[in-house]
């Protein structure tokens, strides 16, 4: 190679080296600056999970089961209520001091297993209420809203003031079973719901807000008619703008003996919602169950039925009915109560029918721990029906609520 050719090659090589160095420098800049650019909001559940109708209510029985066991059933959602919900009185026992230990553990475990979370916010705090019992609007609304804002920020997954692992609560349900437990007026609950909705949406616009579950439909939707219709009217009267809404989801609790009135109840709820302009609001059944075996204490016959004994196969059959029929009538999600049986659910009462509604025997009740037929039925049901297009169901036969 002569000197002239060598100089020509150098002239070509030098610009190439410069370009490479520039590209490397640019790449290094973006790598180093990556944290300076905002990350997109994390999405908790994938589309199949988000569309899935299969949930479990209040599944954590200490030292018995976990969210891993929930995931093993195929369920894609959990509902945390009672001690597994967002309990203001339990988290903030001293004003300004927060103990999130329990909820962090529960929601982080659910999040890691790809399970959607519906959390019930229990608004009572004895520091706020004093001698007044549970079931009233907070005396200091600003204090409650400050607590709620911190809770939403902790479980919104945006990387700012998050719980360990950045779990996301997808649905915030403001209290529970108003027609059974709320002692204040429907109008005051409407105020509570409106202010809660505004705080939640400000902290996490992607979160959904649910009105408290309807606890007692009765034969003629008595609980709904007595209490919730008044809430709807008040929300409509006090809305800031004509198109404002103050909840995204409404839920029903279905325990009474299974019959065709389920269809009529759902239709009535939709009709009342449409009167105030709430069209296409998803209806969830966030609690439903039937017991098995032979409880020593039967709850009132109008709740879980007049029978004193059910075989495991009968419970499994009723489980299918309690899912398929509501889904065929427009319900979007259904949560079975519960995974492992409770123990002494009714204080001081052993082996009531409420202690026999789970899918897995609780060894604290009878020393046995086996998966019931209802467990395998639930698992097979999810396996077969998951991913179905629930918007295009064809009814082959409809008779007697089946």
């Amino acid at each position: 190679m002569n000197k002239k050719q060598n100089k020509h090659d150098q002239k070509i090589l030098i610009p190439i080296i410069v370009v490479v160095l520039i590209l490397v420098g640019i790449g290094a800049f973006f790598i180093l600056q990556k944290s300076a650019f905002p990350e997109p909001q994390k999405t908790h559940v994938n589309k199949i999970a988000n569309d899935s109708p299969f949930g479990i209510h209040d599944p954590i029985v200490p030292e018995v089961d976990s969210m891993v066991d929930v995931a093993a059933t195929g369920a894609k959602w959990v509902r945390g209520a009672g001690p597994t919900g967002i309990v203001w009185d339990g988290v903030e026992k001293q004003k300004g001091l927060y103990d999130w230990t329990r909820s962090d553990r529960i929601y982080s475990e659910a999040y890691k297993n790809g399970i959607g979370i519906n959390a019930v916010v229990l608004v009572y705090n004895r520091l706020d209420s004093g001698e007044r019992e549970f079931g009233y609007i907070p005396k200091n609304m600003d204090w409650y809203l400050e607590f709620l804002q911190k809770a939403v920020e902790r479980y919104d997954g945006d990387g700012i003031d998050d719980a360990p692992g950045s779990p996301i609560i997808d649905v915030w349900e403001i209290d529970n079973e108003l027609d059974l437990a709320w002692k204040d007026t429907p109008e005051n609950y409407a105020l509570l719901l409106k202010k809660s909705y505004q705080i939640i949406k400000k902290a996490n616009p992607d979160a959904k807000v649910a009105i408290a579950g309807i606890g007692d439909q009765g034969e003629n939707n008595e609980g709904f008619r007595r209490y919730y219709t008044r809430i709807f009217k008040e929300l409509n009267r006090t809305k800031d703008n004509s198109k404002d809404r103050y909840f995204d989801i409404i839920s029903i609790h279905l325990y009474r003996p299974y019959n065709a009135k389920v269809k009529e109840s759902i239709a009535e709820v939709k009709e009342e919602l449409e009167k105030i302009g709430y069209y296409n609001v998803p209806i969830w059944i966030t609690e439903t169950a039937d017991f098995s075996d032979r409880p020593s204490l039967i709850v009132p016959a109008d709740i879980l039925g007049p029978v004193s004994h059910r075989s495991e196969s009968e419970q499994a059959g009723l489980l299918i009915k309690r899912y398929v029929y509501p889904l065929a009538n427009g319900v979007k999600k259904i949560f079975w109560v519960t995974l492992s049986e409770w123990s002494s659910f009714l204080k001081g009462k052993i082996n009531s029918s409420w202690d026999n509604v789970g899918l897995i025997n609780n060894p604290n009740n009878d020393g046995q721990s086996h998966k019931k037929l209802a467990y395998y039925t639930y698992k097979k049901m999810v396996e077969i029906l998951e991913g179905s297009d629930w918007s295009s169901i064809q009814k082959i036969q409809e008779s007697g609520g089946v």
Side-chain angles (χ1 to χ4, degrees):
M1 182 182 293
N2 58 40
K3 291 183 178 179
K4 188 175 182 179
Q5 178 67 39
N6 189 39
K7 287 181 179 179
H8 175 73
D9 290 344
Q10 287 177 356
K11 287 180 181 180
I12 296 174
L13 185 60
I14 289 171
I16 291 174
I17 292 171
V18 170
V19 170
V20 170
L21 289 173
I22 290 171
L23 291 174
V24 170
I26 292 172
F29 170 79
F30 279 106
I31 290 171
L32 292 172
Q33 294 296 317
K34 184 177 180 182
S35 61
F37 293 92
E39 293 284 348
Q41 181 78 8
K42 290 196 300 183
T43 301
H44 181 187
V45 290
N46 60 38
K47 187 178 188 305
I48 289 180
N50 190 56
D51 293 342
S52 174
F54 302 110
I56 299 289
H57 165 80
D58 211 14
I60 303 301
V61 176
E63 300 179 2
V64 175
D65 55 18
S66 69
M67 290 298 174
V68 174
D69 300 303
V70 174
T73 68
K76 300 298 189 297
W77 285 84
V78 293
R79 179 176 185 254
T84 62
I86 297 293
V87 186
W88 184 21
D89 189 58
V91 173
E92 192 175 5
K93 294 181 179 180
Q94 296 182 53
K95 191 169 184 178
L97 298 177
Y98 306 94
D99 181 1
W100 303 100
T101 305
R102 180 197 292 265
S103 52
D104 281 357
R105 175 178 57 81
I106 292 170
Y107 301 138
S108 293
E109 191 177 2
Y111 183 76
K112 284 189 295 185
N113 283 278
I115 297 172
I117 302 167
N118 173 46
V120 176
V121 180
L122 298 179
V123 304
Y124 170 81
N125 190 310
R126 69 195 70 195
L127 299 178
D128 167 76
S129 298
E131 296 299 318
R132 194 173 64 175
E133 58 187 355
F134 174 86
Y136 292 89
I137 195 170
K139 289 181 178 179
N140 188 335
M141 181 65 76
D142 289 340
W143 180 20
Y144 157 71
L145 293 174
E146 180 183 1
F147 164 77
L148 182 61
Q149 188 275 331
K150 288 183 181 296
V152 177
E153 182 58 54
R154 191 171 185 84
Y155 301 113
D156 64 359
D158 66 355
I160 302 171
D161 296 327
D162 286 355
S166 293
I168 299 171
I169 290 179
D170 305 276
V171 179
W172 297 81
E173 185 175 345
I174 308 305
D175 231 290
N176 193 33
E177 295 187 335
L178 305 176
D179 49 319
L180 299 179
W182 192 255
K183 301 174 183 67
D184 212 327
T185 66
E187 290 74 21
N188 271 350
Y189 177 81
L191 174 64
L192 173 70
L193 179 61
K194 176 181 176 179
K195 288 186 175 292
S196 298
Y197 180 92
Q198 291 169 332
I199 284 291
I200 291 167
K201 292 293 186 174
K202 183 178 180 180
N204 181 10
D206 294 328
K208 301 296 183 185
V209 177
I211 190 171
I214 304 167
D216 178 22
Q217 303 120 281
E219 285 298 309
N220 297 297
N221 256 9
E222 291 101 337
F224 175 73
R225 291 176 182 175
R226 183 180 70 252
Y227 214 94
Y228 285 78
T229 54
R230 286 176 58 185
I231 295 171
F232 294 170
K233 290 176 183 177
E234 182 68 7
L235 289 175
N236 193 46
R237 186 186 71 81
T238 59
K239 61 186 175 185
D240 299 329
N241 299 291
S242 60
K243 294 184 178 180
D244 281 355
R245 287 187 178 189
Y246 299 115
F247 62 91
D248 306 300
I249 296 164
I250 188 166
S251 71
I252 298 170
H253 296 172
L254 176 61
Y255 287 113
R256 291 177 181 273
Y258 198 83
N259 57 53
K261 285 190 176 290
V262 172
K263 181 179 179 180
E264 285 75 9
S265 295
I266 293 168
E268 183 177 358
V269 170
K270 288 182 178 178
E271 181 181 350
E272 291 296 328
L273 287 170
E274 290 174 359
K275 286 180 182 179
I276 61 168
Y278 281 49
Y279 294 93
N280 302 314
V281 176
I283 298 177
W284 294 11
I285 293 177
T286 49
E287 295 185 30
T288 191
D290 277 290
F291 69 86
S292 68
D293 303 311
R294 193 181 298 276
S296 57
L297 175 66
I298 306 295
V299 297
D302 62 342
I303 303 298
L304 286 176
V307 301
S308 60
H309 171 263
R310 280 198 187 101
S311 67
E312 286 193 13
S313 60
E314 287 174 317
Q315 183 195 31
L318 288 166
L319 180 148
I320 290 290
K321 289 184 179 182
R322 287 188 179 272
Y323 270 84
V324 173
Y325 188 67
L327 290 173
N329 283 282
V331 171
K332 298 302 182 184
K333 298 193 191 304
I334 303 174
F335 295 70
W336 185 264
V337 181
T338 179
L339 182 57
S340 291
E341 293 174 340
W342 290 317
S343 182
S344 298
F345 177 79
L346 300 177
K347 300 294 184 184
K349 308 293 184 182
I350 300 174
N351 195 34
S352 74
S353 47
W354 289 115
D355 293 337
N356 289 269
V357 295
L359 303 178
I360 303 173
N361 268 72
N362 185 337
N364 294 327
N365 290 335
D366 54 14
Q368 300 182 33
S369 179
H370 70 271
K371 295 179 174 69
K372 299 181 185 179
L373 289 177
Y375 174 92
Y376 296 104
T377 301
Y378 188 100
K379 190 176 177 71
K380 177 58 70 173
M381 174 180 67
V382 174
E383 180 184 321
I384 293 172
L385 298 180
E386 190 66 276
S388 299
D389 182 2
W390 301 102
S391 64
S392 59
I393 294 174
Q394 287 186 307
K395 296 177 184 177
I396 299 173
Q397 176 185 339
E398 184 175 351
S399 175
V402 181

